[in-house]
Amino acid sequence: MGSNNNDDPLITETLLPEVRVNKDEDDNLASKVWTETKKLWQIVGPAIFSRIASFSMNIITQAFAGHLGDIPLASISIANTVIVGFNFGLLLGMASALETLCGQAYGAKRYQMLGIYMQRSWIVLSVCCFFLLPFYVFASPILKWLGQPDNVAEESQVVALWLLPLHFSFAFLFPLQRFLQCQMKNQMIAWVSFVALALNVLLCWVLIYVLDFGVIGAAIALDVSWWFMGIALFIYVVFRCPLTWTGFSMQAFTGLWEFVKLSAASGVMLCLENWYYRILILMTGHLKNATLAVDALSICMTINGWEIMIPIAFLAATGVRVSNELGAGNGKAAKFAAEVSVVQSSIIGVIICLIIIIFRDKFAFIFTSSTDVLEEVDKLSILLAVTILLNSVQPVLSGVAVGSGWQGMVAYVNLGCYYVIGLPLGILMGWVFKLGVKGIWGGMIFGGTAVQTIILAIITVKSDWENEARKARTRVAKWSNPEPDDQSEAGH
């Protein structure tokens, strides 16, 4: 099973015809890069658009609610950001297990297994949604405990309950998106996201202004828009994916414990990072004279939030490309896909980093005209630029981890870097050395994100990619079996 890959019928049969990096040694590098770039951007382009569209639905809904008054705006913003945001990150991370399994199965041409995996993900994520219900049911006491005023917490409780359909839509939609993404069917995801965005604007106007449903109308608009995406993509899957969707199957109920473990590792891996930056804002709020610092940091985090949609799209694309090639038994092609993705994402990151530095005293005008806030943003702009630069590399390396099935290991790396090194260093720099928000942010970036990026880079560079390809084939064979828990390799 070692080096004589040409004699292995599975590898010979399943090699992707368009990328045979290990056989096309005579091809020039430019041709290889161009071929890989086209494959990569088939995913990156639609992924950027669909993520920005989904992100914008929340912003638009909050903008409509903002015209109802301060409390309605605060209630839907907090319910959406704190309650829904916490659960969103966990469910999104858990669904990313499909990027490993569906991607590798698609590369290995085990097409029928993609539909089985998606159904398993629906089951696992739906059960998880029920376990997360207390966050919605007890939103008011949770928010009061976090320091929110009583009237805002109580109004947020009402909004959170009306957002329960949105909560359950994640369990249905996220697996569908990854199922299609692993087959390079990303254009449909982008088009459905665009229509959902337009539908959200229309529903917000009708429900809030015409029917006078108030903040509840804003919640319903989000519910309907997100469920529209899920139902539209499911209809597309049923009629346009005959190879990978063969109908509902009882096989989806087998091997669920292994699936739970991989999904949980994926969820924890991404959540630890998502919560890290939320903690940054919470910590800044406890500084003396924190209002100015929080305003400036919020502007920087908003810019970072829009920009990070690009590297997150690269994360998704890298996960698909790496998993496809590993599933096809093509380790060198997987490594090459990772290298191309890192380089291209880094180039974009450098360009945006330079734009931030050049216009460091100008870009905050988009959000405020306060001289004090503008000056504070100017002081923080270098940290924002460094954050953007690191974020152009780190998510891509996380994508390599997802595509390779390293989620459990990377979850430990994230825990150590973010919460053992970065967070204490941020507290030390912010309070002990009295550097304020710059100390907190700087400590968390250089102590957490930078160290994590270096470790992931070392893991990626040191990996034996041909061995990873063999592991992927073993994983595909195991998970394609109706009773994967019976395999001796269950702990792999």
Side-chain angles (χ1 to χ4, degrees), residues 261-297:
K261 289 194 289 186
L262 182 59
S263 296
S266 300
V268 170
M269 169 186 152
L270 294 180
C271 267
L272 288 173
E273 183 175 337
N274 183 39
W275 297 337
Y276 190 59
Y277 290 102
R278 295 178 188 274
I279 290 171
L280 170 58
I281 296 177
L282 288 174
M283 287 173 62
T284 303
H286 290 285
L287 292 170
K288 291 182 179 179
N289 303 317
T291 304
L292 180 62
V294 170
D295 286 346
L297 183 62

Side-chain angles (χ1 to χ4, degrees), residues 6 15-33 35-36 39 321 325 330 332-333 336 466:
N6 291 334
L15 277 171
L16 290 177
E18 294 179 296
V19 182
R20 298 174 183 264
V21 175
N22 56 332
K23 293 186 178 182
D24 297 340
E25 298 296 343
D26 296 332
D27 285 359
N28 61 66
L29 181 61
S31 175
K32 292 178 183 177
V33 170
T35 300
E36 181 57 41
K39 290 176 177 290
R321 290 295 304 125
E325 296 297 353
N330 210 350
K332 290 183 180 178
F336 186 71
E466 293 305 325

Side-chain angles (χ1 to χ4, degrees), residues 58 82 150 155:
N58 294 334
V82 179
D150 288 356
E155 182 81 1

Side-chain angles (χ1 to χ4, degrees), residues 14 99-114 117 323-324 327-328 472 476 480:
T14 59
E99 292 179 23
T100 305
L101 298 173
C102 285
Q104 292 183 359
Y106 190 76
K109 297 186 178 181
R110 301 288 182 92
Y111 298 128
Q112 77 284 357
M113 289 308 301
L114 273 72
Y117 293 151
S323 63
N324 281 173
V476 170
S480 298

Side-chain angles (χ1 to χ4, degrees), residues 436-485:
V437 64
K438 288 186 286 186
I440 297 173
W441 192 2
M444 292 176 74
I445 287 297
F446 293 108
T449 309
V451 173
Q452 182 224 27
T453 303
I454 292 169
I455 291 174
L456 291 183
I458 292 171
I459 292 171
T460 303
V461 170
K462 295 285 187 181
S463 292
D464 181 343
W465 286 96
E466 293 305 325
N467 187 46
E468 292 299 327
R470 287 192 288 274
K471 287 181 182 179
R473 284 197 305 123
T474 304
R475 183 183 293 113
V476 170
K478 179 190 80 169
W479 286 72
S480 298
N481 188 288
E483 297 292 341
D485 288 337

